[in-house]
Amino acid sequence: MGWLIEPGFFASAQVHTALVIGAAAALVSAVVGVFTVIRGQSFGGHALTDASATGGSGSLLAGVNPLLGFVVGAVTAAGAMEAIGVRHARGRDLATGIVLGASIGLASLFLYLDTTATATTGATQQILFGSIFAPAPGTVPIVAGFGAASLAIILALYRPLLLTSISGDLAAARGVPVRLVGLAYMLALALAVALSSLAIGAILSTALLIGPPATALHATRRAGRALIGAAGLGIACTWIGVLLAYDSAHWFSDGNGLPVSFFIVAVIFLAYLISDLTTHRATRRSTAAGRTGALVGDRDPRAAR
Amino acid sequence: MRPAAQHHPHVRALAVDGVSVTLGGRRILDEVAFTVQRGQFTGLIGSNGAGKTTLLRVILGLQRPHAGRVLLAGRPRARRNRSIGYVPQKVGLDPDLPMRARDLVELGIDGHRLGIARPSPARRELVAEMLAAVDAERFADSRVGRLSGGEQQRILIAHALVARPQLLLLDEPLANLDLRSGQEIVSLLDRIATEHEIAVLLSVHEMNPLLSVMDRVVYLAGGRAVSGTTDQVIRSDVLSGLYGHRVEVLHVAGRILVVAGGPAATNGSPDGLPGAAPLPDAR
Ligand SMILES: Nc1ncnc2c1ncn2[C@@H]1O[C@H](COP(=O)(O)OP(=O)(O)OP(=O)(O)O)[C@@H](O)[C@H]1O
Ligand SMILES: [Mg+2]
């Protein structure tokens, strides 16, 4: 056990903070991310991560908590995308591209100013790769508040969101205010992106948003189970990443470990790869046996006959 | 012939009253008026671009008419009305959608509500009943996006019916189906209209598959509509008046063909005529 979990892991206050913030970010990202994948808005989600980088780097200039910067950046961008983007997929794509470009441009300016002002690279590190082990003071309550708000939006709108994600016409015919539901969802997405920017950094937060949901969606054909599976997987990946980062300090003689966001993203990617490979293996095997379409965890009752 | 309808001979499920719609500066619907009774099967017939989808959207409240009104069961429609079931023309379900066919049907019960539905035996039973009604039990547990077009059509009909609407609107439900699946869907809808005593309004550009079941016809052309029984509407003089030029209604081997005819259209062009086919001997 000693080689797996280096001494002091459970006693470290830094580790406690990292596990709590990591779990919150992973949970919210996974729940929101399932809908991001269903709605085919990964690109939009990624644009929001860039916008949160802008907000985060700006917040350091202004001297406020970076998490607030992440939230303001992502929420503003989400609003801008809704305002520019008309309802059609092409308009949305365009709006996303415009917001993304503007965000990266501003972020690079802010980060440049941050580094020249403080004469360290710490600011860039913190914004781009997260600060899960050493968040600014008072961060945990803000994480809890925004996380709860994001989850509340998704759970309250669960059914209308599913319906609008399937077909806007179907939802509108049932009296669902499609535009409003989309707006609320974008707000939840912006909050989720801000939290994962804090945990694993703005440029990597797409991984937490898309990876666990994509993996979970491989394995089930029920939305509720995808939600629970993605949440469990996201939290597990984040915790394993935190553990490995903690351990990695003992791997090198100088005591400097590797970045935690690297480990989290690597574990997420590995999980996706494994699920993808097993799914394909199963498909090939079942096809060879003369059946079609039977996937692991997704057995078609007709095919099984 | 229709015992259910005879119990309530004059229950108007829907009245469209002088509805006009202008889109992009063009008049798409021009004082369209007709009524639909409960337990009846009404065909909304018109060629591509005739305004069928637009008319259905007006009835649903998704498109505001520039003039006229829509009455449901004799009353003006409420802003968010849920007593109409709707099967849109294009749904395009993603093959990877994490949803079984039965889950989509269940969303039809209260998919507009906030929060998460509590599972209950009553709900499961209602869904199972609907799946049986559309003969979809075989594929109820498959991913809905991976079903065939005809199978998805049945699931969407069940989704629309599970909330027990008084009026069911279907926009070109036969468009992607082969002849047999089309006939199955049509007789299914006919049975549902009678058994559940709901009004079915179904749009098509080809009326022949509906001839055996249609109680009434609403025929759209040039933004205007005529309605009545098939015999009253699908006649050379009535349709010529609607189109504004001479058309012929031909009965050929149990099928009805509407073709341009007379001196005004000597080439026999079937342009804009639903169910039209170039007939060499009709010239
Ligand atoms: N938003 C819009 N702006 C301008 N024109 C429109 C708009 N929506 C529809 N139209 C036009 O209105 C006409 C009727 O369209 P509609 O979709 O109602 O026809 P349809 O009868 O359903 O045709 P189809 O059989 O091809 O589905 C078409 O000519 C279409 O180009
Ligand atoms: Mg149409």
Side-chain angles (χ1 to χ4, degrees):
Chain A
M1 209 52 188
W3 60 269
L4 190 62
I5 300 174
E6 294 291 345
F9 180 76
F10 291 111
S12 157
Q14 271 193 341
V15 167
H16 290 166
T17 316
L19 291 180
V20 168
I21 292 182
L27 172 67
V28 175
S29 293
V31 168
V32 176
V34 165
F35 286 97
T36 310
V37 174
I38 294 178
R39 294 166 80 91
Q41 289 185 345
S42 308
F43 184 44
H46 183 76
L48 292 191
T49 68
D50 291 322
S52 81
T54 314
S57 50
S59 73
L60 290 185
L61 281 183
V64 297
N65 190 320
L67 178 54
L68 292 177
F70 290 142
V71 169
V72 170
V75 170
T76 310
M81 278 160 62
E82 272 292 321
I84 305 173
V86 277
R87 261 171 266 197
H88 304 288
R90 186 172 293 277
R92 209 167 59 207
D93 202 45
L94 210 76
T96 307
I98 291 169
V99 166
L100 185 141
S103 302
I104 296 180
L106 269 182
S108 63
L109 173 69
F110 289 164
L111 285 174
Y112 171 79
L113 295 176
D114 284 337
T115 35
T116 47
T118 58
T120 67
T121 51
T124 316
Q125 282 279 349
Q126 188 183 348
I127 299 308
L128 296 185
F129 302 106
S131 53
I132 194 172
F133 278 117
T139 296
V140 172
I142 314 179
V143 166
F146 285 134
S150 181
L151 282 183
I153 291 174
I154 296 294
L155 295 185
L157 294 180
Y158 181 71
R159 282 177 281 182
L161 253 178
L162 269 182
L163 213 48
T164 54
S165 306
I166 296 166
S167 153
D169 272 351
L170 221 51
R174 306 238 41 197
V176 172
V178 176
R179 202 82 203 272
L180 204 64
V181 169
L183 204 66
Y185 157 77
M186 283 302 275
L187 179 62
L189 177 60
L191 293 177
V193 162
L195 292 188
S196 58
S197 294
L198 176 75
I200 62 170
I203 54 170
L204 294 176
S205 53
T206 314
L208 208 49
L209 186 72
I210 304 302
T215 309
L217 285 168
H218 260 313
T220 177
R221 60 199 129 110
R222 301 178 65 172
R225 290 186 185 175
L227 231 56
I228 294 168
L233 189 65
I235 293 174
C237 290
T238 307
W239 282 356
I240 293 172
V242 169
L243 173 65
L244 289 175
Y246 182 84
D247 285 2
S248 71
H250 301 260
W251 298 349
F252 306 100
S253 50
D254 62 0
N256 280 330
L258 297 175
V260 59
S261 39
F262 160 73
F263 285 111
I264 294 176
V265 172
V267 174
I268 290 173
F269 181 67
L270 218 61
Y272 180 80
L273 215 60
I274 291 168
S275 95
D276 199 48
L277 286 180
T278 48
T279 310
H280 280 251
R281 287 265 297 276
T283 316
R284 228 180 304 129
R285 216 180 313 126
S286 67
T287 316
R291 294 190 257 133
T292 51
L295 305 176
V296 163
D298 184 26
R299 277 189 203 93
D300 191 317
R302 291 178 298 172
R305 266 180 223 147
Chain B
M1 169 185 134
R2 288 180 175 278
Q6 275 160 17
H7 287 302
H8 305 272
H10 297 298
V11 184
R12 258 187 205 170
L14 167 71
V16 172
D17 183 11
V19 162
S20 298
V21 172
T22 306
L23 289 173
R26 209 154 57 81
R27 178 140 287 206
I28 308 295
L29 297 176
D30 190 8
E31 304 206 349
V32 168
F34 62 92
T35 61
V36 172
Q37 324 285 330
R38 283 186 75 168
Q40 278 196 346
F41 192 113
T42 306
L44 174 60
I45 299 162
S47 50
N48 293 132
K52 303 182 293 294
T53 300
T54 308
L55 178 56
L56 294 180
R57 288 175 59 85
V58 168
I59 296 168
L60 281 161
L62 301 181
Q63 167 75 50
R64 188 185 281 279
H66 298 98
R69 54 192 190 141
V70 172
L71 301 178
L72 293 174
R75 281 185 297 276
R77 50 156 307 130
R79 209 167 69 84
R80 296 204 187 291
N81 191 298
R82 297 197 177 87
S83 66
I84 306 179
Y86 177 47
V87 179
Q89 185 168 9
K90 289 171 286 198
V91 175
L93 297 168
D94 189 305
D96 291 329
L97 199 66
M99 189 171 286
R100 300 168 304 172
R102 75 167 72 246
D103 300 327
L104 181 51
V105 175
E106 189 180 339
L107 267 184
I109 300 176
D110 49 12
H112 56 278
R113 289 261 176 83
L114 296 182
I116 290 170
R118 290 225 179 84
S120 78
R123 287 175 75 87
R124 269 196 296 277
E125 208 164 287
L126 186 60
V127 170
E129 201 180 293
M130 272 303 130
L131 286 165
V134 298
D135 194 17
E137 289 139 313
R138 273 175 308 124
F139 42 85
D141 290 311
S142 301
R143 270 189 207 248
V144 66
R146 295 188 187 164
L147 298 178
S148 79
E151 290 166 344
Q152 285 185 6
Q153 201 66 255
R154 285 167 193 266
I155 296 302
L156 289 170
I157 291 171
H159 168 92
L161 280 176
V162 73
R164 302 251 180 252
Q166 293 161 14
L167 175 63
L168 179 61
L169 307 180
L170 302 103
D171 199 357
E172 305 239 20
L174 311 181
N176 290 315
L177 305 187
D178 59 37
L179 215 57
R180 223 196 77 190
S181 313
Q183 280 304 339
E184 281 174 13
I185 294 281
V186 165
S187 49
L188 175 86
L189 288 168
D190 183 42
R191 205 186 68 220
I192 286 168
T194 314
E195 282 175 10
H196 295 252
E197 260 189 69
I198 60 176
V200 174
L201 179 62
L202 177 151
S203 83
V204 286
H205 55 262
E206 155 67 48
M207 73 180 111
N208 281 298
L210 301 184
L211 287 179
S212 58
V213 296
M214 267 191 304
D215 297 298
R216 289 175 72 82
V217 177
V218 177
Y219 199 111
L220 269 183
R224 295 186 301 137
V226 281
S227 66
T229 63
T230 316
D231 292 339
Q232 286 168 347
V233 172
I234 312 297
R235 287 168 30 178
S236 296
D237 54 340
V238 173
L239 293 188
S240 294
L242 182 66
Y243 278 107
H245 59 81
R246 182 90 195 129
V247 299
E248 298 284 351
V249 172
L250 304 169
H251 293 258
V252 183
R255 289 162 53 83
I256 297 181
L257 299 175
V258 182
V259 297
T266 43
N267 62 353
S269 155
D271 281 357
L273 301 186
L279 278 187
D281 40 350
R283 290 188 193 169

